[in-house]
Each structure stands twice: as structure tokens, then as C-alpha cells.
Amino acid sequence: MADTSGSAEHTTKPAGPNERHSGPAPRKSSWKYIGPGIVVAATGVGAGDLVATLIAGSNFGYTLLWAAVIGCLVKISLAEAAGRWHLSTGRTLFDGWASLGRWTSWFFVAYVVIWGFVYGAAAMSSSGLPLQALFPDVMDLKWWAILTGLVGLVFVWFNKYAVFEKVMTVLVGVMFVVTVYLAIRVTPNLGEAFAGLLPVLPDEKDSILNTLGLIGGVGGTITLAAYGYWVNAKGWTNTGWMKVMRLDNRVAYITTGIFVIAMLFVGAELLHSSNVAIASGDKGLIQLGDILEDEYGTATAKFFLIGFFATSFTSLIGVWHGVSLMFADFVERFRKDRAASAAQRTNPQNTTSDTTTPAPGPAPASAEEVASGAHEKSWPFRAYLLWLTFPPMILLFEGQPFRLIILYGVLGAAFLPFLALTLVWLLNSSRTPAEWRNGLLSNAMLTIAGLLFVVLCVKQIWDQPWADFF
């Protein structure tokens, strides 16, 4: 049996490839099972993604429509690979990362601590902005932001995955109706839109990097890694669910593609044609609301702000739930590592010539543990929820510290290359049952994704103001 721990052999192992293949009967890929894909689509498409797509449409019209489509295809391959790891091995993604060496744990800890601190403030602020615009005389933005953070905390704290998925589905429905309505309202030029499916680069400075940025920015970062955890939380824990997972994943990124293409249409027709520029970041959507009010009236602007809130709040509660699940899994693995090390120190004879008794090692983190809902009620899950909610509130009052923002940018840029390249490593090794390892297409897509994100990572690190950092 393949060693899937990356350390000494252990007595508790997941079912082997043959057992996992012969046990569960494949389920038909039915629409009635769809769920985790809706969650990952809702979480992955935040206000920042919509603004980036709007700006691309504003600057280049329909020219980069093909890049948005490729971005969805790249993310399909990443999420499918994460889901395939969870289902084919019965183990969590963090357990796979841990098998590659301790460096993965150090990277993950640094990422979730620093990233979570800054992201918490950004997510709360983004969710508060449309509420302040809808109710301008009620209270300041920072109090709206704090309110959304507290509502997200209470909601995720007291509800398990099933309720979480239902609420996310409703909010995705709101996002879908609003974005498609806006795309129709601006009357897109379908001839130019179809021409935009041809891979042509804009005749602008840094057009290649801008295009790569649009491809890489379509739909999620760490939420792609969380997809496998949501698959397990849904109750899908073995290869019998593989076809269902793949349909679910395609639905996720078709939905994401519709959001992105719709906003690119709005940017191309409403902004590009009239040569109107909007700010980057969430405030660009507030500007868009003002433009929509001037063009189509107050009702359309209010409708858009409701969609803006749904977009931001789904990203908030999605990260509150998904990344907290990953953090709980990390802590559980760490505790098992420490228990295994203590057992080895207590019984050093197990590491000698007695080959019939293998050295104790950490039991693998299993999909069944995530499916049971135990992680959602664990103290690490709730501790990370609190970390995402309360410390970031300091940034809402004090502003974002310069050095921390640089580290946040670097770690954020490094995560997707880390995810893509470690998935290539895991899914081509004996850690994965032979039947479910990467084929040529999967390897090509994951390698392209890895190289794309490495380029974007290097650019983002290069662009940081390091001279002011030291």
C-alpha cells in the first residue's frame, strides 16, 4: 500500500486503492446533488473580481472575453483536482500537503494567520459598502462592516454545512438574477462579444500581464482548496461520488463564467463606449451604482446594490466557513503528529529492528471526519472564526499597516502556485490510487495553471514597494 503520510509508516491507514474502487457504487451525475459547486462559485466571486472584470471591459471592450473563459477553465481543473484528491484517497488536502514535508505546514500557517487578519477587514468592509449606500443615513461604513462580520460569525458558528449551503444558494440566485439583468439591460453587442472569444491581445502596454491577471483572477484563491472540504461536508467521501463532483464543479465555474461575462458586458457597454473610468477595489462598484442610477433610474441602482451585497456577503461567510474547516483540519493533523511523536518517544523499540511493529505515526485526516460535522463544532474551527472576525476590526478603525499589507500581498500571490503545483505532485504520485491519478489533460491544465500563477506571483512580489518595507 502506498505511503500517504510522508513520514514513518503508521498502523491506521485509509482504505487502499482497490478497496476504495470496489466498495462504493458510482452514483449518476444528477442535478439534485449539486451544492458545493454553488458554494465555491459564490465564495470565489467577490466584489474585487467583479470590479477587475468591469475595468477589463471598460479598458478593452470585449477583446478579453476569451481570457475570462480560459480563467474559468483553469479554475475548473484546480477545483476538480482538489475534489478528486479528497474522494479518491479519503483524505483531506491538508493531509496530502503534510505528506510533502513540513514546509507546507509552515506556509499554510503563515498564510492563514496573516491573510485571514487582513482579509477579514476587507471582507467586512466590502459587505458594509452596499449597505451604507442603500441606507446612507443609518450609520458609518465601519459599523456596517462590523455588523456584517458579526452576522457572519453567528451564522457560521451555529449552523452546519447543510444550512450554510442553502443560504449560499439563495444568495447566488440573487447574484445571478442581478448580473444577468444588468448584462441584458445594457444591450450587449453580440457580434463583438463573439469576436471577443478569439484570443487577441489588446494593443496596450503590459497587455500580456493584464490578460494573465484577468485569467488568474476569475473565481477564487483559497476557496479552490476549500472545495474538497465542502465536497466532504456534503457527505461525498468516496469515489462513488466522483461523477457527481465533476458535474458539480462544472456547474460552479459555468456559474462563475456567467457572472464574469455579464460584468464584462456591463463594462464594455456602459463604461468603454462612453469612456468612463471607475476606481479599482470595492468603491468602483459604488461608482457603478451611481452610473446605473443616472442611466436607468433609482430602481436599477438599488437592485444592483442588493446584488453587490449578495456578492460580498457570500464571499465573507464562504471564507468564514471554508477556511475555518481547513484550519481545524490543520490543527487536528498537528495534534496527531504530536501524539505520534510522543508515542514514539515512549516506545523507542518500535523504531529498531522489530519490523513487525511499525513506528506509530499520525492517523490520516479522513473525509469521514469532515463529513461528520465534527470539525464545524471543534474549538479550532471556532477559534479561527473569531480570528477572522474580531482582530480585523482593529484595521477598520486604524487603517491597514503597511508592512502587513505587503506580506498579505506576497502570501496571497504565492497561494495559487502552491496549490496548483502541489496538486500536480500529489496526483501523480503513489499517494493517489492509480485509477485516479492525473491524465494528460489534467497534467497539462494544472501545469499551465501553475506556470500562470508563478508569473503573476513574481509580478506581484516585484511590484511591492520593498524599499519602503525595510
Side-chain angles (χ1 to χ4, degrees):
M1 184 178 294
D3 175 22
T4 55
S5 69
S7 58
E9 283 189 301
H10 44 73
T11 55
T12 306
K13 295 184 178 181
N18 294 333
E19 295 147 288
R20 292 195 64 78
H21 174 60
S22 60
R27 293 177 181 265
K28 293 182 179 179
S29 53
S30 170
W31 291 93
K32 69 180 180 180
Y33 295 123
I34 298 304
I38 297 297
V39 172
V40 78
T43 307
V45 179
D49 299 288
L50 296 187
V51 173
T53 310
L54 273 172
I55 291 174
S58 173
N59 291 339
F60 308 118
Y62 295 101
T63 305
L64 291 181
L65 182 59
W66 64 273
V69 173
I70 289 179
C72 289
L73 295 176
V74 166
K75 299 297 177 63
I76 284 175
S77 65
L78 282 167
E80 187 277 338
R84 178 156 43 95
W85 166 266
H86 278 248
L87 295 182
S88 66
T89 66
R91 303 174 66 186
T92 64
L93 184 56
F94 184 81
D95 200 58
W97 285 338
S99 74
L100 302 178
R102 291 186 180 274
W103 65 275
T104 58
S105 298
W106 288 111
F107 175 79
F108 180 77
V109 170
Y111 179 81
V112 296
V113 170
I114 295 174
W115 179 88
F117 182 58
V118 179
Y119 180 82
M124 288 187 278
S125 180
S126 178
S127 297
L129 267 174
L131 293 177
Q132 186 192 37
L134 284 166
F135 309 102
D137 300 322
V138 176
M139 54 185 171
D140 291 339
L141 172 60
K142 58 179 175 289
W143 298 111
W144 279 117
I146 289 171
L147 178 61
T148 61
L150 293 175
V151 170
L153 170 70
V154 171
F155 172 72
V156 175
W157 188 290
F158 290 105
N159 290 293
K160 286 195 174 183
Y161 175 80
V163 176
F164 166 72
E165 182 189 289
K166 286 182 174 64
V167 171
M168 292 289 272
T169 301
V170 171
L171 292 173
V172 165
V174 173
M175 292 168 60
F176 186 89
V177 171
V178 170
T179 54
V180 171
Y181 167 77
L182 289 178
I184 295 171
R185 193 76 171 83
V186 300
T187 316
N189 185 320
L190 296 181
E192 291 185 10
F194 280 114
L197 294 174
L198 295 174
V200 176
L201 290 174
D203 187 19
E204 301 281 345
K205 181 182 178 182
D206 294 330
S207 62
I208 294 178
L209 289 174
N210 288 332
T211 303
L212 293 179
L214 180 61
I215 294 172
V218 175
T221 52
I222 196 170
T223 54
L224 292 164
Y227 178 65
Y229 288 84
W230 286 323
V231 162
N232 290 159
K234 179 75 169 176
W236 306 347
T237 59
N238 55 51
T239 56
W241 292 99
M242 196 70 76
K243 287 184 178 180
V244 175
M245 181 275 293
R246 284 170 167 163
L247 173 64
D248 180 77
N249 180 45
R250 288 193 289 270
V251 168
Y253 283 95
I254 289 172
T255 305
T256 299
I258 291 171
F259 292 151
V260 170
I261 291 169
M263 294 311 289
L264 192 139
F265 282 5
V266 173
E269 291 296 336
L270 194 61
L271 305 178
H272 180 70
S273 59
S274 55
N275 199 27
V276 175
I278 61 171
S280 60
D282 302 336
K283 292 183 179 179
L285 292 184
I286 296 296
Q287 286 181 266
L288 178 62
D290 294 336
I291 295 168
L292 288 170
E293 184 170 8
D294 292 339
E295 290 285 333
Y296 304 113
T298 302
T300 296
K302 299 291 186 187
F303 189 49
F304 165 72
L305 289 172
I306 292 170
F308 177 6
F309 171 74
T311 300
S312 298
F313 193 64
T314 51
S315 293
L316 186 152
I317 59 175
V319 166
W320 263 230
H321 187 275
V323 184
S324 296
L325 267 183
M326 296 181 70
F327 184 77
D329 185 36
F330 158 73
V331 173
E332 184 64 21
R333 171 77 195 200
F334 179 75
R335 292 168 64 185
K336 288 176 179 178
D337 278 338
R338 293 196 65 177
S341 298
Q344 189 170 343
R345 288 194 299 271
T346 304
N347 301 287
Q349 68 275 13
N350 287 343
T351 61
T352 62
S353 59
D354 181 7
T355 57
T356 61
T357 306
S366 70
E368 284 78 8
E369 287 180 66
V370 180
S372 71
H375 283 341
E376 292 169 276
K377 299 301 180 185
S378 66
W379 71 260
F381 181 92
R382 289 176 166 173
Y384 193 72
L385 267 180
L386 295 173
W387 175 254
L388 282 168
T389 306
F390 289 106
M393 290 179 184
I394 299 170
L395 303 184
L396 297 175
F397 290 91
E398 300 295 332
Q400 298 182 345
F402 179 71
R403 288 184 176 85
L404 190 62
I405 297 304
I406 291 179
L407 293 175
Y408 167 81
V410 169
L411 288 169
F415 185 81
L416 281 178
F418 168 79
L419 175 63
L421 297 176
T422 54
L423 283 171
V424 171
W425 191 346
L426 290 170
L427 293 170
N428 283 289
S429 72
S430 60
R431 297 171 179 84
T432 304
E435 180 181 357
W436 301 109
R437 291 176 197 162
N438 280 354
L440 288 176
L441 180 60
S442 295
N443 275 325
M445 291 299 293
L446 289 176
T447 301
I448 290 169
L451 293 175
L452 163 67
F453 296 131
V454 165
V455 171
L456 293 174
C457 176
V458 170
K459 179 182 184 298
Q460 187 156 343
I461 292 173
W462 182 266
D463 289 343
Q464 298 295 332
W466 292 106
D468 299 326
F469 182 86
F470 299 102

